[in-house]
Amino acid sequence: MLFKDFDPLKEEMLQILDQKGNIVNDKLVPKIKKATLMKMYKTMVLGRIADDKAVQFQRQGRMLTYAPNHGQEAAQLGSIAAMDDNDWLVLAFRELNAMLYKGVTLEQSYLYWYGNEMGAKYDEDVKVLPINVPIGSQINHAAGIAYASKLNKTGEVALAFIGDGGTSHGEFHEGMSFAAAYDLPMIVVIQNNHYAISTPRKKVIKSKTLAQKAIAYGIPGIQVDGNDPLAMYLAVEKARERAANGDGPTLIEAVTYRMGPHTTSDNPKLYREDKEVQEWAKKDPLIRFKKYLIDKKYWSNKKDEELQETSKKEVLDAFKKVEKSGLVDLEDIFKYTYEKLTPNLEKQMNAYKKYLDEVGE
Amino acid sequence: MLFKDFDPLKEEMLQILDQKGNIVNDKLVPKIKKATLMKMYKTMVLGRIADDKAVQFQRQGRMLTYAPNHGQEAAQLGSIAAMDDNDWLVLAFRELNAMLYKGVTLEQSYLYWYGNEMGAKYDEDVKVLPINVPIGSQINHAAGIAYASKLNKTGEVALAFIGDGGTSHGEFHEGMSFAAAYDLPMIVVIQNNHYAISTPRKKVIKSKTLAQKAIAYGIPGIQVDGNDPLAMYLAVEKARERAANGDGPTLIEAVTYRMGPHTTSDNPKLYREDKEVQEWAKKDPLIRFKKYLIDKKYWSNKKDEELQETSKKEVLDAFKKVEKSGLVDLEDIFKYTYEKLTPNLEKQMNAYKKYLDEVGE
Amino acid sequence: MAVKTILQAINEALDQSMEKDDSVVVYGEDVGHEGGVFRTTAGLQKKYGEGRVFDTPIAEAAIVGSAVGMSVNGLKPVVEMQFSGFSLPGYNQVVAHVARFRNRSRGKYHLPMVVRMPYGGGVRALEHHSESLETLYAHIPGLKLVIPSTPYDAKGLMMAAINDADPVIFMEPKRIYRAFKQDIPEEPYEVEIGKARIAKEGNDVTIIAWGALVREVEKAMKQVDDIDAEIIDLRTISPMDTETIIKSIKKTGRVLIVHEAYKSFGPAAEIISRINEEAFFYLEAAPKRLTGFDVTIPLPKGEHHFIIDPKQIAYELKKLMAEKA
Amino acid sequence: MAVKTILQAINEALDQSMEKDDSVVVYGEDVGHEGGVFRTTAGLQKKYGEGRVFDTPIAEAAIVGSAVGMSVNGLKPVVEMQFSGFSLPGYNQVVAHVARFRNRSRGKYHLPMVVRMPYGGGVRALEHHSESLETLYAHIPGLKLVIPSTPYDAKGLMMAAINDADPVIFMEPKRIYRAFKQDIPEEPYEVEIGKARIAKEGNDVTIIAWGALVREVEKAMKQVDDIDAEIIDLRTISPMDTETIIKSIKKTGRVLIVHEAYKSFGPAAEIISRINEEAFFYLEAAPKRLTGFDVTIPLPKGEHHFIIDPKQIAYELKKLMAEKA
Ligand SMILES: Cc1ncc(C[n+]2csc(CCOP(=O)(O)OP(=O)(O)O)c2C)c(N)n1
Ligand SMILES: Cc1ncc(C[n+]2csc(CCOP(=O)(O)OP(=O)(O)O)c2C)c(N)n1
Ligand SMILES: [Mg+2]
Ligand SMILES: [Mg+2]
């Protein structure tokens, strides 16, 4: 129904909560448990602070690179909140909020950007794939996860994220085609933040909407206000129903905006106007979500102040631990290449240890 | 207009000449010069005989592999006939008819399948790229040719072929996206012959039509009866107008059928029913085209008999030359690696020559 | 025991692995209904159903990349690249993910998957159907690269590959798919990955080869009765069984490496370097390589120049023996 | 003359090539408006317009593959892979087409194109941003692989690459993009592709390196005053200047090869093999390689283990000299 009503050819964007935080589509408001809403919001607050702090730490020379997701929180949290615990999260690299919601710790997340692989060793029961840097290639992983789920009838659904720029990649196309071919339980959320590094989406992608790319795969697509957590939740909830019913994958375009730089090495002033950024600041998902929760009497400004404080502390604590983490052990760069260290690797490692011993480093 | 009327979402297939050879859409009959029609037809007859003979030669152990295009002639000839002399032809590997029309000689074509690279050295003024075996990758070449044409305002348009199976490949997606991004003068004709080797199109490709994949690139797509040379001509003619006007690429799905095996190493009985093949035999492009020409008084059965004879002779002559062509010279496998032979290659070649000398081979 | 070709041996290995372990799935282009263009997977779909044995779109990145996801989620995928020349569109997945998932996740995830691909020339094939691309896979840490040369090894190595906790690239020498038969056990068995095989013991010189070339080397031996060569069938290209090689060199002092892959930056170079590193002063003559030229492997009418035959092996061997220490 | 970094030298080479030759076009991800994530192409779009300098979709196969088409149709494309680690999705185009068009068409078509890619570690970068993938390109016949180590060579080699009738893979050592400056000619000039540079003459031992490692070798020399080493900056990895290497080895009898690429099946192996083939009996000690380990290059907090520093070079050099002939 939803996917018929919002057939991407109509070029209508699903929105439930407008940028002021008012419900504009009463009938569509999804039923979300209070606990879920609050978890979404608390993650959003934590995620926002963690994000802004990471950039700050980097400016201070304490963090390496970081890819901020300030502004894109609702696109992620609306999505992940609509999934089951048993589902999988398949990352691109700008999904701090989705990761936190799904059980990746902030410390792990920071540790990764700090330059330590241990930051990608999420806890055993956390069904999240490591950050995926080669653009688009994660879609094929999600398709494979979904295939296994379907074959073994586990009921798991794979939720994957990708950027607007990523939809031009061959890997995206192949993953979508593959998942569609077998009606796999996969949901792909495109975070259309309007830029791929410096390159505007409109300049290099000619499809009218990114949601329309779904037609090429014979699956539903929908364009959603990505800064509206309720709309995102609804779209993913319906997509998940489809997936669970064996109806196959769904493509969701979340229209959002990256408020910060591409990464901390990027200078967005080179390619976009402040005015544009200001316009999008008004659409901040955090502000509208908070208003919604306060209107609903689930939340208050006072509680929010407390939350800001505790979250800030949590962020600083996590980073403190990360800063204390030190360097990676020599053994660690060798021992995960194969299940067992090969004689060749052992030789290389020992020769290097000998060098360190002799030179006394 | 045409692309609006046959918007791929309507799922209507363009047809002008039905399978009996009758005009079913008077208003759309394209204006084609008699000379052009006759060149199309004569090429089709030659191509058909050459194709069937190649398979026969192979069965006799006189040819290596061959990928027959029996049944797909109209899809190719309707397309190439609508192009200008100055345009480019970018091949997949099953386009004997398009190649012949565009000036590749039958001898060259045979020589290639006979296992000699010289068969891909088409004459200087023949703007055809060599047969392209890695599926889908030719679309990017066509996009690049089209880019150069646009930049240098040469007016050339690139016509590329691909199979139904090829549309699932990442290379197809990237080439289409690239060409669309810059409104490049490119036309892609999908020869949907319903199979990728043994794999039915419907089994692994979920889009309703292949023409609908155009929507993902924000360009027009159209589904055409690929066994109808007039419909193919019209669609490509209009696509070429778009390209020449700077309106960008067009995607054309030619619905056709491969009557023979995938290649001479393939046994289609493993994966398709005779009945299906028989149904498609009735839609033979050659029969309907001939009837059209006879109805139009451009042609007669008597002339046709003569043409069959001369074409057959042409085919046998060409193959005779190819059979006499012998082995490739040693120098030839070295000398086209770089512009100049490198010292390393010279050494390798000389060492091998020395071996031949000493062992006396 | 039953008499089998390499092709049949691989088919049997797949069959028995699927029979034993429900998590094994087999897929690729034309792999399902038809049983593969070489019929390597024939009969499997009928036996195990379309869920576990299936045809894919023409999309090598999806084939390899989905196997990553499947491995993470409990399956053991055995995928086919129709020819090794067509494995390249999936190469990004192999290098960026297949080889790295264990390390990237510090052991949380590992990928028990196999990527099969027929490889090598000598079958009078079209362009891209004759490549020997060992180097591209052997150079990448985290991958294992296995190549059988006999039906016995084909079955045993394939079963070992499927049971391996690490991803294995399994290149199949298609030129000898059906070239000869061997009596091999009917029951399941494994041949250890990472161990070379001494195909023939000898004292004068070591010859190292793998895949279809092992047979050519063996044929060459008939032309050089007077030379007592030790033949090593490398079997696993990476991680390489350096120990077996070095032991042999220490005994013979001479080595000829034969492969069809391009010479420069090819596999023989690595073998020579390891010999230099570990047995340099045992060498009585410069190590020699007899390999494919550094040119694109020719189409059939020129392929005879490129393909290495027994006569050539014998010739190089005699030259090598003639060098004085 | 003007004092320039490698980055500026490349920018100038592109600029002057575009100025001189209208058929040169420059494109890739973020290459146009922004001038590249490293700013290597800064200013070019403004000067030459969006037709000749432009941003592309994220699609490496399209970037490389379209360059094939452009080359065929009269242009000289210089494309960028944002990092060499991201060149892999375009690798199929490189191997299947870029390397082969001349041979496939028996000389009818040739591809005067350049594929640029920043490469190498030591810049504390994310995963896939530190690769040294020389082998993957050097092993493929039909490609040239060029790597500069100085601003002078960077400009001269880039201009030569653009004017070359064959396709050139141009790897840029991003670690030293801005590390130092050199006084280089303002006018256009070429440095011949295929010729190594003797960075320092010497008699005791030959050290072969390229890219960022040349500087590390030079630094190491200060720690081994007593060793009179000859340093060869290889510059062109393929086709390799074997002659210069062999001449040096015949003089010194010892060789250390230093590269950051993975050791096994890496570039040093080929160099060692050529030395074995052409100067075996001149060797006074086993050739030595000091290279990246056979593990995925680590993220920054483990990268120091992997990166080769002058101290280590000096250490290996001393060990090599200590071996008796
Ligand atoms: C295959 C590949 N090519 C290039 C890159 C370099 N790169 C990193 S992020 C990025 C832009 C991604 O844009 P988009 O998909 O819109 O995601 P966003 O960064 O906006 O979240 C590029 C080109 C890469 N990571 N992978
Ligand atoms: C990248 C790649 N993968 C696999 C192959 C092997 N292959 C050759 S033809 C073919 C099927 C092509 O099907 P389709 O695109 O429908 O074209 P058709 O053969 O029907 O003309 C395949 C898989 C190839 N040539 N290239
Ligand atoms: Mg984006
Ligand atoms: Mg087909």
Side-chain angles (χ1 to χ4, degrees):
Chain A
M1 236 350 239
L2 183 76
F3 298 117
K4 283 250 165 68
D5 292 345
F6 286 85
D7 183 321
L9 292 163
K10 296 185 189 160
E11 289 169 51
E12 249 180 80
M13 183 171 79
L14 172 67
Q15 191 187 57
I16 297 174
L17 204 59
D18 75 5
Q19 71 183 67
K20 300 215 165 69
N22 299 317
I23 298 290
V24 290
N25 201 330
D26 245 337
K27 274 171 288 180
L28 289 181
V29 177
K31 289 201 181 62
I32 314 181
K33 286 201 207 103
K34 181 177 172 186
T36 302
L37 281 170
M38 291 321 303
K39 184 176 172 188
M40 288 166 70
Y41 182 71
K42 285 176 182 172
T43 308
M44 202 183 281
V45 168
L46 180 68
R48 172 67 58 91
I49 296 172
D51 203 72
D52 293 349
K53 276 286 169 199
V55 176
Q56 197 184 313
F57 294 143
Q58 198 278 342
R59 301 287 182 236
Q60 299 165 348
R62 297 160 68 191
M63 190 72 153
L64 285 169
T65 321
Y66 180 74
N69 70 155
H70 185 138
Q72 301 183 207
E73 296 91 346
Q76 296 168 39
L77 291 167
S79 301
I80 193 71
M83 303 296 289
D84 272 16
D85 281 351
N86 201 30
D87 292 337
W88 286 84
L89 171 60
V90 180
L91 302 168
F93 51 87
R94 198 187 296 288
E95 287 85 27
L96 176 65
N97 281 269
M99 292 165 81
L100 293 175
Y101 191 98
K102 185 76 180 162
V104 174
T105 68
L106 182 55
E107 192 186 331
Q108 286 162 343
S109 217
Y110 271 174
L111 189 62
Y112 175 83
W113 291 107
Y114 198 67
N116 190 322
E117 287 85 352
M118 272 298 169
K121 184 173 190 160
Y122 316 137
D123 297 353
E124 199 50 54
D125 59 339
V126 172
K127 293 166 85 170
V128 181
L129 293 202
I131 276 183
N132 184 87
V133 177
I135 299 289
S137 56
Q138 72 275 19
I139 305 303
N140 284 310
H141 306 162
I145 286 177
Y147 194 97
S149 158
K150 182 172 172 158
L151 183 67
N152 288 332
K153 301 197 180 60
T154 62
E156 302 154 295
V157 177
L159 168 69
F161 284 97
I162 190 170
D164 48 305
T167 62
S168 301
H169 208 277
E171 295 259 5
F172 166 79
H173 183 66
E174 295 200 2
M176 295 304 301
S177 302
F178 190 93
Y182 313 107
D183 298 322
L184 301 183
M186 173 173 97
I187 302 167
V188 171
V189 173
I190 304 167
Q191 293 198 71
N192 174 6
N193 63 8
H194 292 78
Y195 289 88
I197 309 186
S198 72
T199 307
R201 168 259 186 265
K202 280 287 179 191
K203 207 169 163 195
V204 292
I205 307 178
K206 280 296 161 74
S207 61
K208 283 192 194 140
T209 68
L210 300 179
Q212 287 189 1
K213 289 186 184 280
I215 295 161
Y217 312 111
I219 62 169
I222 186 169
Q223 194 184 52
V224 183
D225 179 346
N227 287 9
D228 171 357
L230 303 187
M232 285 303 301
Y233 186 99
L234 178 69
V236 173
E237 184 183 39
K238 295 297 171 198
R240 201 191 173 286
E241 279 171 21
R242 273 182 40 82
N245 286 338
D247 297 334
T250 307
L251 184 65
I252 297 171
E253 175 187 358
V255 180
T256 182
Y257 198 80
R258 151 167 70 71
M259 296 302 294
H262 169 71
T263 66
T264 43
S265 338
D266 174 52
N267 174 12
K269 292 215 186 300
L270 287 172
Y271 54 81
R272 67 185 193 188
E273 304 285 336
D274 273 352
K275 219 178 69 189
E276 183 180 281
V277 182
Q278 292 323 313
E279 279 311 304
W280 277 94
K282 296 180 196 153
K283 303 183 188 171
D284 191 327
L286 189 62
I287 295 172
R288 79 173 87 165
F289 196 25
K290 180 171 135 192
K291 171 158 189 303
Y292 173 71
L293 295 175
I294 291 176
D295 286 355
K296 235 178 138 68
K297 306 274 187 285
Y298 282 4
W299 197 241
S300 70
N301 277 316
K302 185 156 167 294
K303 280 190 197 152
D304 205 64
E305 275 163 35
E306 286 165 28
L307 178 64
Q308 296 284 344
E309 277 315 301
T310 54
S311 301
K312 199 168 158 188
K313 192 170 166 321
E314 201 178 329
V315 167
L316 294 175
D317 285 351
F319 191 66
K320 211 176 283 169
K321 281 191 206 148
V322 167
E323 272 196 318
K324 281 203 198 121
S325 64
L327 296 173
V328 170
D329 282 348
L330 178 62
E331 275 85 358
D332 274 16
I333 77 162
F334 282 96
K335 89 179 168 202
Y336 301 101
T337 304
Y338 298 100
E339 189 188 26
K340 295 194 199 97
L341 210 59
T342 63
N344 171 49
L345 287 177
E346 216 169 316
K347 229 177 273 171
Q348 291 185 10
M349 190 172 73
N350 289 338
Y352 188 69
K353 279 185 183 166
K354 187 158 170 276
Y355 154 69
L356 292 178
D357 279 354
E358 291 182 17
V359 176
E361 208 170 11
Chain B
M1 237 350 240
L2 183 77
F3 299 117
K4 285 249 165 69
D5 292 346
F6 287 85
D7 184 322
L9 293 162
K10 296 185 189 161
E11 290 170 50
E12 249 181 81
M13 184 172 79
L14 172 67
Q15 191 188 57
I16 297 173
L17 203 59
D18 74 6
Q19 69 183 68
K20 301 215 167 65
N22 299 319
I23 297 290
V24 290
N25 202 330
D26 245 338
K27 275 173 286 181
L28 288 182
V29 178
K31 288 200 182 59
I32 313 181
K33 284 201 207 101
K34 181 178 173 186
T36 302
L37 282 169
M38 291 321 302
K39 183 175 172 188
M40 288 166 71
Y41 183 71
K42 286 177 181 173
T43 307
M44 202 183 279
V45 168
L46 180 69
R48 172 68 59 91
I49 297 172
D51 203 73
D52 293 349
K53 275 288 168 196
V55 177
Q56 197 184 312
F57 295 143
Q58 199 277 343
R59 301 285 181 237
Q60 298 166 349
R62 296 160 69 192
M63 189 73 155
L64 286 168
T65 322
Y66 179 74
N69 70 154
H70 186 137
Q72 302 182 205
E73 296 91 346
Q76 297 168 38
L77 291 167
S79 300
I80 193 70
M83 302 297 288
D84 274 15
D85 282 352
N86 201 30
D87 292 337
W88 287 83
L89 171 60
V90 180
L91 302 168
F93 51 87
R94 198 186 297 287
E95 288 86 26
L96 176 66
N97 281 269
M99 292 165 82
L100 293 175
Y101 191 97
K102 185 76 181 161
V104 174
T105 69
L106 181 56
E107 192 186 332
Q108 286 162 345
S109 217
Y110 271 174
L111 188 63
Y112 176 84
W113 292 106
Y114 198 67
N116 190 324
E117 286 84 352
M118 272 298 168
K121 183 173 191 161
Y122 316 138
D123 297 352
E124 198 53 52
D125 59 338
V126 172
K127 293 165 87 169
V128 180
L129 293 201
I131 276 184
N132 184 87
V133 177
I135 299 289
S137 56
Q138 73 276 20
I139 305 303
N140 283 310
H141 305 162
I145 285 177
Y147 194 97
S149 158
K150 183 172 171 157
L151 183 67
N152 288 332
K153 302 195 178 61
T154 62
E156 301 154 294
V157 177
L159 169 70
F161 284 97
I162 190 169
D164 49 302
T167 63
S168 301
H169 209 277
E171 295 258 4
F172 167 78
H173 182 66
E174 296 201 2
M176 295 305 299
S177 301
F178 189 92
Y182 313 106
D183 298 323
L184 301 183
M186 173 173 97
I187 301 166
V188 172
V189 173
I190 305 167
Q191 293 198 73
N192 174 6
N193 62 8
H194 292 79
Y195 289 89
I197 309 186
S198 71
T199 308
R201 169 260 188 263
K202 281 286 179 192
K203 207 170 162 195
V204 291
I205 306 178
K206 279 296 161 72
S207 60
K208 283 192 195 141
T209 68
L210 300 180
Q212 288 189 3
K213 287 186 184 281
I215 295 160
Y217 312 111
I219 62 169
I222 186 170
Q223 195 183 52
V224 182
D225 179 346
N227 286 10
D228 171 356
L230 303 187
M232 285 303 301
Y233 187 99
L234 179 70
V236 173
E237 183 183 40
K238 295 297 171 199
R240 202 193 171 285
E241 278 170 21
R242 272 181 42 79
N245 286 338
D247 297 334
T250 306
L251 184 65
I252 297 172
E253 175 186 1
V255 180
T256 181
Y257 197 80
R258 150 165 73 70
M259 297 300 294
H262 169 70
T263 67
T264 43
S265 338
D266 174 53
N267 174 11
K269 292 214 186 300
L270 287 172
Y271 54 82
R272 66 184 194 187
E273 304 284 337
D274 273 352
K275 217 179 69 187
E276 182 182 280
V277 183
Q278 292 323 314
E279 278 311 305
W280 276 95
K282 296 180 196 153
K283 302 184 188 171
D284 191 326
L286 189 62
I287 295 173
R288 77 173 87 164
F289 195 25
K290 180 171 137 192
K291 172 158 190 302
Y292 172 71
L293 294 174
I294 291 177
D295 286 356
K296 237 179 135 67
K297 307 270 188 284
Y298 282 5
W299 198 240
S300 71
N301 276 317
K302 188 162 166 291
K303 280 191 197 153
D304 205 64
E305 276 164 35
E306 284 165 29
L307 179 63
Q308 296 283 344
E309 279 315 301
T310 53
S311 300
K312 200 170 159 187
K313 192 171 167 320
E314 200 178 330
V315 167
L316 295 175
D317 284 351
F319 190 66
K320 210 175 285 171
K321 282 192 207 150
V322 167
E323 271 196 318
K324 281 200 199 126
S325 63
L327 296 173
V328 170
D329 282 348
L330 177 62
E331 276 84 359
D332 273 16
I333 78 162
F334 282 95
K335 89 179 167 201
Y336 300 100
T337 304
Y338 298 99
E339 189 188 26
K340 295 194 200 98
L341 210 60
T342 62
N344 171 49
L345 287 177
E346 216 169 316
K347 229 177 273 171
Q348 291 185 11
M349 190 172 72
N350 289 337
Y352 188 69
K353 280 186 182 166
K354 186 155 172 276
Y355 154 69
L356 292 179
D357 279 355
E358 291 181 17
V359 174
E361 209 172 10
Chain C
M1 304 289 275
V3 167
K4 294 231 142 70
T5 61
I6 287 182
L7 195 79
Q8 291 165 334
I10 293 172
N11 183 272
E12 186 165 276
L14 295 172
D15 186 1
Q16 295 183 348
S17 298
M18 294 195 78
E19 175 121 39
K20 209 178 54 180
D21 183 348
D22 279 352
S23 67
V24 178
V25 294
V26 168
Y27 63 98
E29 294 152 16
D30 306 292
V31 154
H33 178 82
E34 180 177 73
V37 292
F38 287 103
R39 328 269 311 118
T40 330
T41 55
L44 299 177
Q45 186 176 73
K46 226 173 200 164
K47 199 158 166 193
Y48 301 103
E50 285 196 41
R52 291 181 62 200
V53 184
F54 60 100
D55 293 318
T56 65
I58 306 175
E60 289 79 12
I63 295 170
V64 178
S66 62
V68 170
M70 289 188 205
S71 297
V72 160
N73 203 12
L75 298 182
K76 291 186 183 166
V78 182
V79 302
E80 176 177 300
M81 305 277 98
Q82 202 159 73
F83 288 83
S84 72
F86 304 134
S87 69
L88 300 179
Y91 191 61
N92 182 48
Q93 283 286 346
V94 172
V95 178
H97 301 304
V98 176
R100 293 181 171 211
F101 245 65
R102 184 189 287 277
N103 183 62
R104 176 181 295 146
S105 68
R106 284 299 191 244
K108 179 174 177 188
Y109 297 118
H110 70 277
L111 307 180
M113 58 182 275
V114 179
V115 183
R116 295 178 40 238
M117 51 182 90
Y119 90 104
V123 296
R124 297 156 57 82
L126 291 180
E127 206 188 345
H128 308 286
H129 290 68
S130 302
E131 271 74 357
S132 292
L133 301 177
E134 294 95 309
T135 303
L136 306 189
Y137 293 99
H139 182 52
I140 305 300
L143 302 175
K144 296 180 176 177
L145 173 58
V146 169
I147 303 180
S149 77
T150 65
Y152 181 87
D153 282 354
K155 180 173 170 184
L157 287 169
M158 178 59 84
M159 298 204 77
I162 294 172
N163 289 327
D164 203 290
D166 289 309
V168 177
I169 310 295
F170 199 93
M171 290 192 179
E172 302 173 0
K174 60 176 170 306
R175 181 179 174 187
I176 53 169
Y177 258 158
R178 302 183 175 89
F180 60 99
K181 296 196 174 194
Q182 191 183 11
D183 216 6
I184 67 172
E186 278 172 82
E187 58 278 8
Y189 63 93
E190 287 191 16
V191 169
E192 190 181 344
I193 289 173
K195 289 274 174 269
R197 175 177 73 97
I198 310 273
K200 173 186 169 306
E201 297 207 24
N203 290 300
D204 295 349
V205 56
T206 304
I207 310 178
I208 304 174
W210 53 89
L213 273 304
V214 173
R215 263 195 117 211
E216 302 305 297
V217 169
E218 285 167 345
K219 286 187 212 157
M221 296 320 294
K222 295 186 188 127
Q223 304 176 23
V224 285
D225 285 343
D226 50 328
I227 302 175
D228 180 25
E230 177 143 306
I231 303 176
I232 298 181
D233 174 0
L234 197 53
R235 295 202 294 203
T236 299
I237 313 305
S238 176
M240 197 187 287
D241 182 359
T242 319
E243 202 186 322
T244 298
I245 295 171
I246 297 301
K247 227 172 108 183
S248 180
I249 302 302
K250 286 186 176 169
K251 180 170 64 171
T252 64
R254 291 172 197 256
V255 61
L256 172 69
I257 304 150
V258 186
H259 66 60
E260 202 174 285
Y262 304 130
K263 181 174 207 168
S264 290
F265 303 86
E270 177 60 25
I271 299 172
I272 291 175
S273 297
R274 291 190 184 207
I275 294 171
N276 272 244
E277 281 160 357
E278 305 198 19
F280 185 69
F281 288 107
Y282 292 86
L283 285 170
E284 293 165 19
K288 227 180 171 51
R289 29 183 190 171
L290 174 57
T291 69
F293 303 127
D294 287 326
V295 305
T296 299
I297 179 165
L299 291 183
K301 296 295 170 196
E303 203 187 12
H304 60 291
H305 298 305
F306 191 95
I307 293 299
I308 295 160
D309 65 14
K311 218 193 292 185
Q312 215 178 338
I313 297 170
Y315 171 82
E316 293 295 342
L317 209 53
K318 281 184 222 159
K319 273 201 347 196
L320 176 58
M321 294 314 298
E323 281 185 38
K324 29 176 199 298
Chain D
M1 303 289 275
V3 167
K4 294 233 143 69
T5 61
I6 287 181
L7 194 80
Q8 291 164 335
I10 293 171
N11 182 272
E12 185 166 275
L14 295 171
D15 186 1
Q16 294 183 348
S17 298
M18 294 196 78
E19 175 122 40
K20 209 177 54 180
D21 184 348
D22 279 353
S23 67
V24 178
V25 294
V26 168
Y27 62 99
E29 294 153 16
D30 306 293
V31 153
H33 178 81
E34 179 176 75
V37 292
F38 287 103
R39 329 267 314 117
T40 329
T41 54
L44 298 178
Q45 185 176 73
K46 232 182 196 154
K47 199 157 165 192
Y48 301 104
E50 285 197 40
R52 292 181 61 200
V53 184
F54 61 99
D55 294 318
T56 64
I58 305 175
E60 289 80 11
I63 295 171
V64 178
S66 62
V68 170
M70 289 187 206
S71 297
V72 161
N73 203 11
L75 297 182
K76 292 186 183 166
V78 182
V79 302
E80 177 178 299
M81 305 276 96
Q82 204 161 71
F83 289 84
S84 73
F86 304 134
S87 69
L88 300 179
Y91 191 61
N92 182 48
Q93 282 286 347
V94 172
V95 177
H97 301 304
V98 176
R100 291 179 174 214
F101 245 65
R102 183 190 288 278
N103 183 62
R104 174 181 296 146
S105 67
R106 284 298 192 244
K108 178 174 177 187
Y109 297 117
H110 71 277
L111 306 180
M113 58 182 276
V114 180
V115 183
R116 297 178 39 238
M117 51 181 89
Y119 91 104
V123 297
R124 298 155 58 81
L126 291 179
E127 206 188 347
H128 307 288
H129 290 68
S130 303
E131 273 72 0
S132 293
L133 302 177
E134 294 94 308
T135 302
L136 307 189
Y137 293 98
H139 182 50
I140 304 300
L143 301 176
K144 296 182 175 176
L145 172 58
V146 170
I147 303 181
S149 78
T150 65
Y152 181 86
D153 282 354
K155 179 173 169 183
L157 287 169
M158 178 58 83
M159 298 203 78
I162 295 172
N163 290 328
D164 203 289
D166 289 310
V168 177
I169 310 295
F170 199 94
M171 289 193 179
E172 301 173 1
K174 59 176 170 304
R175 182 180 173 184
I176 52 168
Y177 257 158
R178 301 183 177 89
F180 60 99
K181 297 195 172 193
Q182 191 182 8
D183 216 6
I184 66 171
E186 279 171 82
E187 57 278 9
Y189 63 93
E190 288 190 15
V191 169
E192 190 180 345
I193 290 174
K195 288 274 173 270
R197 176 177 72 98
I198 310 273
K200 175 185 166 306
E201 297 207 23
N203 290 300
D204 293 351
V205 56
T206 304
I207 310 177
I208 304 175
W210 53 88
L213 273 304
V214 174
R215 262 195 117 210
E216 303 305 298
V217 169
E218 284 168 344
K219 286 186 212 158
M221 296 321 294
K222 295 186 188 126
Q223 303 176 24
V224 286
D225 285 343
D226 48 328
I227 301 175
D228 180 26
E230 176 143 308
I231 304 175
I232 297 181
D233 174 0
L234 197 54
R235 294 201 294 202
T236 298
I237 312 306
S238 176
M240 197 188 286
D241 182 359
T242 318
E243 202 187 322
T244 297
I245 294 172
I246 297 302
K247 226 172 107 183
S248 180
I249 303 302
K250 286 187 176 169
K251 180 170 64 172
T252 64
R254 292 173 196 256
V255 61
L256 172 68
I257 303 150
V258 186
H259 66 60
E260 203 173 283
Y262 304 130
K263 182 173 204 165
S264 290
F265 303 86
E270 176 60 25
I271 299 172
I272 291 175
S273 297
R274 291 190 184 207
I275 293 171
N276 272 245
E277 282 161 356
E278 306 198 18
F280 185 68
F281 287 106
Y282 291 86
L283 285 170
E284 293 165 18
K288 226 180 172 53
R289 31 184 188 171
L290 173 58
T291 68
F293 303 127
D294 287 326
V295 304
T296 299
I297 180 165
L299 291 183
K301 294 296 169 197
E303 202 188 14
H304 59 291
H305 299 306
F306 191 95
I307 293 299
I308 296 160
D309 66 15
K311 219 193 291 185
Q312 216 180 336
I313 298 169
Y315 171 83
E316 293 296 341
L317 210 53
K318 280 184 223 159
K319 273 198 350 194
L320 176 58
M321 294 313 298
E323 280 184 38
K324 28 177 199 301

